[in-house]
């Protein structure tokens, strides 16, 4: 006569002490990291030497501290990492698996530590520097050339963008400094005015105003404008200047770069208010605007209360020293 079959599960050797059993929730994962992380370097040292006394001596910690840390690590994981024979130990299969991952994690931490130390090095560190597209052809290369005459090995991560996007990256910690316009006024930022750049009314070479050298902006009230997209500092300045001149510009094209707008003007598709070009563009005439006063302020901004590394501090000091002579119109 057969009774009800009994199913006996296969069990693996595990410790009976309470252990971590993550459910996948963020809080559980953070708890695991907080509990395991302080003991990982100790584990790697013991795993490499397979000798507790020798590992303690190399890491300059008491042997009792190291032994307790390994016991607690095994309790938290719920598995045996070591097979013990006196003061000599050898890794179990679980220990070898865990050791490989721990070594990779520690190597990544060491790499990250080396990277941040290198970036902060006074002589060879790195500066994350943002600037407007219109400054990329001439102004910024000239600044970097002059700065590197005194700091030849400092490295730069360069970002070109419009003002609001750079401010966002500044706040996100992705930039150390940025050259922007208009100069921002916000409680979480520090900004310093460095220079002023005159703006020109750019018209096609065959335009009715092309024979002139100067013009009042109101004389362009009936023209079609090409401008930068909303959100760009120059777009805001263009709208403000036209309002001061008594009209709202009729906009036919919106772009992202000043030189693209010059090309549209050369093609006869409109007029534009723009800063001077690095290289004269054929097919257009650049007119001085006499009224209202057409200029934009250029300034440097950084995050308030944010500590500077030595290379960032040196470049900030250099930029501030260029006040009034940043640009070459």
């Amino acid at each position: 006569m057969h009774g009800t079959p009994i199913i006996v599960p296969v069990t693996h050797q595990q410790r009976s002490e309470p252990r971590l059993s993550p459910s996948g929730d963020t809080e559980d994962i953070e708890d695991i990291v907080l509990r395991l992380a302080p003991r990982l370097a100790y584990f790697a040292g013991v795993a490499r030497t397979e000798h507790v006394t020798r590992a303690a001596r190399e890491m300059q910690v008491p042997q009792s501290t190291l032994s307790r840390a390994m016991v607690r690590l095994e309790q938290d994981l719920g598995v045996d990492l070591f097979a013990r024979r006196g003061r000599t130990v050898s890794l179990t299969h679980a220990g070898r698996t865990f050791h490989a991952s721990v070594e990779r994690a520690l190597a990544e931490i060491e790499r990250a530590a080396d990277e941040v130390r290198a970036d902060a090095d006074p002589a060879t560190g790195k500066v994350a520097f943002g600037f407007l597209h219109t400054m990329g052809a001439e102004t910024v290369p000239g600044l970097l050339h002059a700065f590197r005459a005194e700091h030849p090995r400092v490295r730069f991560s360069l970002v070109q963008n419009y003002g609001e996007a750079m401010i966002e990256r500044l706040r996100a910690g992705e930039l150390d400094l940025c050259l922007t316009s208009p100069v921002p006024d916000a409680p979480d930022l520090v900004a310093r005015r460095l220079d002023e750049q005159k703006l020109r009314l750019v018209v096609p070479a065959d335009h009715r105003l092309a024979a002139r050298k100067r013009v009042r902006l109101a004389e362009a009230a009936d023209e079609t404008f090409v401008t930068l997209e909303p959100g760009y500092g120059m777009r805001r300045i263009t709208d403000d200047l036209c309002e001061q001149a008594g009209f709202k510009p009729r906009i036919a094209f919106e772009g992202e770069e000043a030189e693209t707008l010059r090309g549209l003007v050369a093609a006869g598709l409109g007029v534009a208010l723009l800063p001077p070009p690095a290289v004269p563009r054929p097919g257009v005439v650049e007119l001085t605007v006499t009224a209202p006063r057409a200029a934009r302020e250029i300034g440097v901004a950084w995050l308030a209360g944010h500590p500077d590394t030595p290379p960032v501090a040196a470049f900030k000091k250099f930029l501030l020293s260029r006040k009034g002579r940043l640009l070459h119109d």
Side-chain angles (χ1 to χ4, degrees), residues 39-56:
R39 294 188 283 275
L40 296 184
Y42 287 167
F43 166 76
V46 175
R48 291 183 199 124
T49 61
E50 295 192 330
H51 198 284
V52 176
T53 302
R54 191 180 307 143

Side-chain angles (χ1 to χ4, degrees), residues 22 31 59 67 99 105 113 138 160 171 193 233 241 307 314:
D31 185 51
M59 289 187 285
S67 295
H99 182 219
E138 186 175 24
Q160 289 179 271
R171 287 179 168 132
R193 180 186 180 279
L241 288 173

Side-chain angles (χ1 to χ4, degrees), residues 53-129:
T53 302
R54 191 180 307 143
R57 185 167 57 248
E58 290 180 359
M59 289 187 285
Q60 299 182 341
V61 296
Q63 180 179 325
S64 58
T65 299
L66 197 56
S67 295
R68 285 196 301 270
M70 294 305 94
V71 170
R72 183 59 185 276
L73 180 61
E74 290 178 314
Q75 289 175 350
D76 283 343
L77 291 173
V79 297
D80 290 307
L81 299 173
F82 298 102
R84 292 166 172 80
R85 295 184 298 276
R87 293 179 180 177
T88 302
V89 297
S90 61
L91 289 169
T92 63
H93 176 72
R96 287 193 297 273
T97 300
F98 191 60
H99 182 219
S101 295
V102 167
E103 289 288 9
R104 286 195 296 270
L106 293 176
E108 182 63 19
I109 291 171
E110 184 177 5
R111 185 203 63 77
D114 289 343
E115 182 177 342
V116 296
R117 282 196 295 262
D119 287 350
D121 185 275
T124 62
K126 185 166 70 173
V127 180
F129 180 46

Side-chain angles (χ1 to χ4, degrees), residues 15-316:
R15 292 177 167 267
S16 60
E17 292 89 342
R19 59 185 183 275
L20 297 170
S21 53
S23 65
D25 292 341
T26 301
E27 291 184 2
D28 290 328
I29 294 172
E30 290 177 351
D31 185 51
I32 293 172
V33 172
L34 289 173
R35 293 175 66 176
L36 297 185
R39 294 188 283 275
L40 296 184
Y42 287 167
F43 166 76
V46 175
R48 291 183 199 124
T49 61
E50 295 192 330
H51 198 284
V52 176
T53 302
R54 191 180 307 143
R57 185 167 57 248
E58 290 180 359
M59 289 187 285
Q60 299 182 341
V61 296
Q63 180 179 325
S64 58
T65 299
L66 197 56
S67 295
R68 285 196 301 270
M70 294 305 94
V71 170
R72 183 59 185 276
L73 180 61
E74 290 178 314
Q75 289 175 350
D76 283 343
L77 291 173
V79 297
D80 290 307
L81 299 173
F82 298 102
R84 292 166 172 80
R85 295 184 298 276
R87 293 179 180 177
T88 302
V89 297
S90 61
L91 289 169
T92 63
H93 176 72
R96 287 193 297 273
T97 300
F98 191 60
H99 182 219
S101 295
V102 167
E103 289 288 9
R104 286 195 296 270
L106 293 176
E108 182 63 19
I109 291 171
E110 184 177 5
R111 185 203 63 77
D114 289 343
E115 182 177 342
V116 296
R117 282 196 295 262
D119 287 350
D121 185 275
T124 62
K126 185 166 70 173
V127 180
F129 180 46
F131 52 93
L132 300 170
H133 288 285
T134 51
M135 297 183 178
E138 186 175 24
T139 300
V140 168
L143 290 172
L144 298 180
H145 177 78
F147 176 75
R148 282 172 66 93
E150 297 294 330
H151 304 82
R153 297 164 64 199
V154 168
R155 297 167 291 126
F156 283 84
S157 173
L158 302 177
V159 174
Q160 289 179 271
N161 216 321
Y162 64 97
E164 290 185 7
M166 284 194 297
I167 296 302
E168 289 178 9
R169 297 187 70 166
L170 200 63
R171 287 179 168 132
E174 298 173 10
L175 291 176
D176 297 310
L177 302 163
C178 69
L179 279 181
T180 188
S181 176
V183 180
D185 181 13
D188 61 333
L189 300 176
V190 179
R192 296 288 183 267
R193 180 186 180 279
L194 295 180
D195 217 331
E196 183 180 88
Q197 188 174 45
K198 293 180 181 178
L199 304 177
R200 316 274 183 71
L201 181 68
V202 185
V203 302
D206 59 356
H207 191 271
R208 63 182 178 84
L209 297 173
R212 305 265 296 273
K213 291 185 178 180
R214 297 176 179 80
V215 65
R216 290 178 296 105
L217 189 55
E219 295 180 75
D222 295 330
E223 300 291 334
T224 297
F225 277 73
V226 296
T227 72
L228 294 176
E229 294 177 347
Y232 283 69
M234 270 302 307
R235 171 59 179 271
R236 193 156 64 248
I237 292 170
T238 295
D239 290 344
D240 289 345
L241 288 173
C242 289
E243 183 178 0
Q244 292 177 45
F247 69 94
K248 182 177 181 179
R250 292 187 297 110
I251 297 171
F253 296 93
E254 295 175 334
E256 295 181 347
E257 293 193 2
E259 289 312 301
T260 299
L261 299 187
R262 273 193 174 82
L264 295 175
V265 172
L269 299 175
V271 302
L273 276 170
L274 294 172
V279 179
R281 172 69 184 254
V284 301
V285 175
E286 314 247 344
L287 305 176
T288 299
V289 178
T290 58
R293 187 171 182 275
R296 66 171 179 172
E297 290 187 340
I298 308 294
V300 59
W302 61 88
L303 204 58
H306 190 75
D308 293 333
T309 62
V312 171
F315 189 56
K316 181 191 292 184

